[in-house]
Amino acid sequence: MDGMQDRFTGATSVLHQRAVRVPLPDREAERVFHENMLTVADARERKADLLADPDVPVLNAYEAERDRIAESFKRRLRRIAGDDYREVAMAYNRGERDDRIGALAAYYFEGAWRIQQRTTITDMLFSPLILRYPDCFTMNIRFASSYATPKSIRYESPAHSSAELSDEHVEQYYEESLYSQQQAATYLRETAQIIREEFPDPDETPFEERKYGGVVSAGGRRGSTFSVFLERVEPDPDRFSDAVDEPTLVETGPEARRTERELGLENELVY
C-alpha cells in the first residue's frame, strides 16, 4: 500500500487486545459483509490455484494473498478516514488526536503495515479473528512471533531454502516440496468453504441460521517453511449487551483469549 513505508513508532500499541466492531443494522449492511467474506474465500481459493501450479513460485501465491488483504484494508481506511487516512493514523499515533476515527485508522494502518512485512520477515504469524453476532461483526487483528500453530498445515518453498544438498537430495526435496504445496492447496480450498458456510448469503439464509458465525486463521513462514490454518469459532452470545451504530474499537472478547490459548499464541503476541 502507498505510504506504508513509515512504521508506527509510538507507544499506543493500537492493536493490543483490541478489535473493530462494525454494526450490521439492516439487510444491505449484511450483504456488504457477506460479499467481503466471499472475497476472502475467493482469495483463499486463488492462492490454492497458484500453490497447486508447479510452475508458479510459492512467493507469488503468498504475495497475491498479501496484496488482496492489503487492498481490503486500504478500502476500509478510505471509507473510515478518507484519502488522507495515512496522516489521520499517524496523527493519532503521535498523540495529536484522540478520537474514534483516528483510532480506527491507526488500527487498520498498523495492521496493513505489518501485513506488508510478511514476505520479508520470518517468524511473524498473522492470525485474524472474525466473528458475526446478530447486530454486528468484529475483526481482531493479531500478530505473533511465530510461524505456525500446532494445527497448521506446513509446506515448503525450494526457492527460499539455503540448505546445501546433493543432486540426489535436491530432486527429492523438490518433489516433496511440490507434494506439500499440493496438500496445502487442498487444505486452502476446504477451508475457503468454511468461510462461505460461516458467513452465508443473507438473502438465502434465515436470520436464525446466519446471526452467529466465526473463523480464526493463521499464516506465516520460517525460512523455506510456510504455514496455513483456518477453523470455525463459536461466538459468545453474551459478549455484547449494548447496541452499536457506528464502527468502533472494543476490547477483545473471550473468543480471542480462547483461540490464543488453543493456538499457543498467549505468550507470542507482538504489539
Side-chain angles (χ1 to χ4, degrees):
M1 288 173 61
D2 295 339
M4 287 296 172
Q5 66 271 23
D6 294 330
R7 182 184 177 181
F8 283 139
T9 56
T12 56
S13 299
V14 69
L15 300 181
H16 181 60
Q17 297 298 329
R18 301 171 94 180
V20 178
R21 184 185 181 192
V22 180
L24 295 173
D26 50 37
R27 185 67 63 86
E28 183 56 34
E30 287 195 78
R31 291 190 187 106
V32 171
F33 173 61
H34 170 66
E35 290 168 2
N36 287 339
M37 296 314 299
L38 284 185
T39 298
V40 173
D42 290 343
R44 203 167 183 84
E45 290 172 340
R46 174 56 178 161
K47 183 178 180 180
D49 291 341
L50 294 173
L51 272 181
D53 187 339
D55 295 325
V56 176
V58 165
L59 188 60
N60 288 29
Y62 201 66
E63 289 182 337
E65 178 187 45
R66 177 207 65 184
D67 292 344
R68 185 71 68 92
I69 295 172
E71 184 57 34
S72 173
F73 276 42
K74 186 175 182 179
R75 287 195 301 270
R76 291 172 185 173
L77 278 162
R78 281 183 169 149
R79 285 199 299 269
I80 291 167
D83 289 338
D84 62 344
Y85 60 79
R86 180 181 184 280
E87 180 51 37
V88 172
M90 296 300 288
Y92 181 89
N93 185 63
R94 292 192 298 264
E96 296 171 3
R97 59 185 295 166
D98 184 19
D99 59 293
R100 181 182 64 86
I101 297 299
L104 286 168
Y107 188 88
Y108 279 119
F109 194 91
E110 177 70 12
W113 185 91
R114 290 177 183 270
I115 287 168
Q116 283 206 308
Q117 311 310 306
R118 293 174 64 215
T119 55
T120 57
I121 298 176
T122 65
D123 287 289
M124 185 170 74
L125 189 75
F126 176 46
S127 182
L129 171 64
I130 302 173
L131 300 167
R132 162 72 201 266
Y133 302 91
D135 65 347
C136 67
F137 74 90
T138 63
M139 182 172 69
N140 180 203
I141 301 174
R142 301 179 298 190
F143 295 87
S145 57
S146 181
Y147 82 103
T149 76
K151 302 180 180 181
S152 295
I153 298 296
R154 295 167 175 80
Y155 56 100
E156 281 290 316
S157 170
H160 289 81
S161 177
S162 59
E164 295 290 337
L165 301 174
S166 65
D167 291 342
E168 176 185 356
H169 288 111
V170 164
E171 182 176 354
Q172 179 181 354
Y173 172 60
Y174 182 75
E175 292 298 325
E176 290 176 350
S177 295
L178 290 181
Y179 178 76
S180 70
Q181 291 166 30
Q182 293 284 347
Q183 294 294 102
T186 298
Y187 179 80
L188 283 164
R189 294 190 185 98
E190 292 172 348
T191 50
Q193 184 58 30
I194 291 177
I195 296 173
R196 299 178 189 279
E197 293 169 356
E198 287 297 299
F199 309 108
D201 189 335
D203 294 320
E204 299 178 359
T205 310
F207 182 72
E208 287 300 315
E209 297 178 17
R210 70 175 192 269
K211 66 180 182 179
Y212 289 108
V215 295
V216 60
S217 62
R221 78 177 178 97
R222 172 177 291 167
S224 61
T225 303
F226 290 70
S227 75
V228 62
F229 164 78
L230 185 142
E231 71 177 12
R232 291 180 173 86
V233 175
E234 192 72 27
D236 182 351
D238 299 321
R239 179 175 178 186
F240 296 114
S241 59
D242 60 329
V244 62
D245 57 8
E246 57 188 2
T248 188
L249 287 185
V250 297
E251 292 185 1
T252 55
E255 308 94 337
R257 294 186 290 275
R258 184 174 73 247
T259 55
E260 287 164 13
R261 290 193 302 270
E262 293 173 351
L263 301 180
L265 305 181
E266 285 180 293
N267 300 316
E268 303 296 334
L269 291 178
V270 176
Y271 298 114

